[in-house]
Amino acid sequence: MPVEITWWGHATCTVEDSDVRVLTDPLFARRLAHLRRRCGALPPPGAWRADVAVVSHLHADHLHVPSLARLAPGTRLLVPRGALRAVPGLRRLTRLRVTEVAPGDRVTVGDLLIRAVPALHDGRRLPFGRHRSPALGYVVEGEARTYFAGDTGLFDSMAEEVGPVDVALLPVGGWGPYLGEGHLDAGRAAQALARLAPRSAVPVHYGTYWPIGMDAVRPHEFHAPGDEFVRLAARRAPGVVVHRLRHGESVRPEVAR
């Protein structure tokens, strides 16, 4: 079947390729600490179904133990190296098949090859963060080559580390009125797109969670990044088709044959 991408909100996507379902950074919470879901319904139970889930880094909005606990017994779970030591709750998920990976590692799931690639981001489990783990992106290679960037800043060797891809799932915003270091905003994501030169792109990591009580503080940082990315991508990477999905919406992007 054609490759299908579904965006559930924040950094959570399903990539279905070669009859294998890959779930990225599962987050199925209505509220997380000081954040609440402001846009899009909670993903339905069908979104929990995956053959393999990948976690990009240890921050709680990407490695959310209660969401991982909803995955079916036997689901493969790829996490950054050192995660089991840094996040004790992971060790209680005994029904999952957990594998720690680092940049350069490759894992085969069915007919898919999943490559772990570097990301420029703080990989610690904040706010405690004593143990360091690498922040990762992943390239899912099957009928298509799909790059899930996780959370990352722009770095010089990005295109070399990621390699040729058909689809790029790129973060374009965040969950607060300001982005710190190690993040892509819409402009930097458009620069990344020009370097990677995929056939298609899907903006993620925006317009879902926002701090409680801050609805009126720089609201354009919540609503605007998707449209801004579409506008800037058309200027910097005019050959790339950008699919700005609504929460729960799917697309079957065109891939090279």
Side-chain angles (χ1 to χ4, degrees):
M1 65 174 281
V3 176
E4 185 170 271
I5 311 292
T6 304
W7 182 49
W8 301 110
H10 202 52
T12 306
C13 301
T14 296
V15 178
E16 190 161 3
D17 187 335
S18 304
D19 293 320
V20 178
R21 289 173 62 92
V22 182
L23 185 63
T24 67
D25 287 353
L27 182 57
F28 305 134
R30 190 175 305 279
R31 177 174 173 177
L32 175 63
H34 64 297
L35 306 178
R36 67 179 174 90
R37 190 177 181 110
R38 281 190 55 200
C39 189
L42 281 176
W48 311 348
R49 184 169 60 88
D51 299 291
V52 57
V54 299
V55 169
S56 62
H57 63 287
L58 305 192
H59 294 175
D61 58 322
H62 293 259
L63 195 168
H64 186 245
V65 174
S67 293
L68 295 175
R70 296 181 179 181
L71 302 179
T75 302
R76 291 288 303 273
L77 175 61
L78 308 185
V79 299
R81 183 172 296 168
L84 287 166
R85 178 181 62 175
V87 186
L90 271 178
R91 299 196 290 269
R92 295 193 291 269
L93 302 179
T94 56
R95 301 183 309 160
L96 306 182
R97 296 186 291 153
V98 182
T99 302
E100 294 189 335
V101 294
D105 287 347
R106 298 166 176 252
V107 176
T108 300
V109 181
D111 291 332
L112 291 187
L113 173 67
I114 301 178
R115 294 192 290 116
V117 298
L120 180 62
H121 194 68
D122 188 336
R124 295 174 297 168
R125 181 69 164 182
L126 300 175
F128 309 105
R130 184 166 63 89
H131 301 296
R132 290 190 173 272
S133 290
L136 304 173
Y138 294 91
V139 179
V140 178
E141 299 186 2
E143 293 292 324
R145 292 164 298 186
T146 301
Y147 170 47
F148 168 63
D151 231 351
T152 187
L154 195 63
F155 56 98
D156 291 341
S157 62
M158 176 180 278
E160 178 184 351
E161 298 282 2
V162 172
V165 291
D166 299 293
V167 186
L169 311 180
L170 293 178
V172 301
W175 52 252
Y178 300 101
L179 284 174
E181 293 184 5
H183 292 87
L184 296 179
D185 60 10
R188 291 190 291 271
Q191 292 179 52
L193 196 66
R195 296 183 185 186
L196 296 166
R199 298 174 69 91
S200 305
V202 176
V204 301
H205 203 269
Y206 78 100
T208 309
Y209 291 91
W210 202 248
I212 294 169
M214 296 187 68
D215 290 18
V217 179
R218 298 175 66 85
H220 65 284
E221 297 288 354
F222 179 82
H223 295 288
D227 288 334
E228 184 72 356
F229 175 69
V230 171
R231 184 180 69 83
L232 294 174
R235 179 189 303 171
R236 290 186 172 270
V240 180
V241 177
V242 177
H243 303 278
R244 192 181 73 80
L245 302 180
R246 296 184 298 272
H247 293 81
E249 188 175 15
S250 302
V251 65
R252 292 181 174 180
E254 182 181 353
V255 300
R257 296 294 182 184

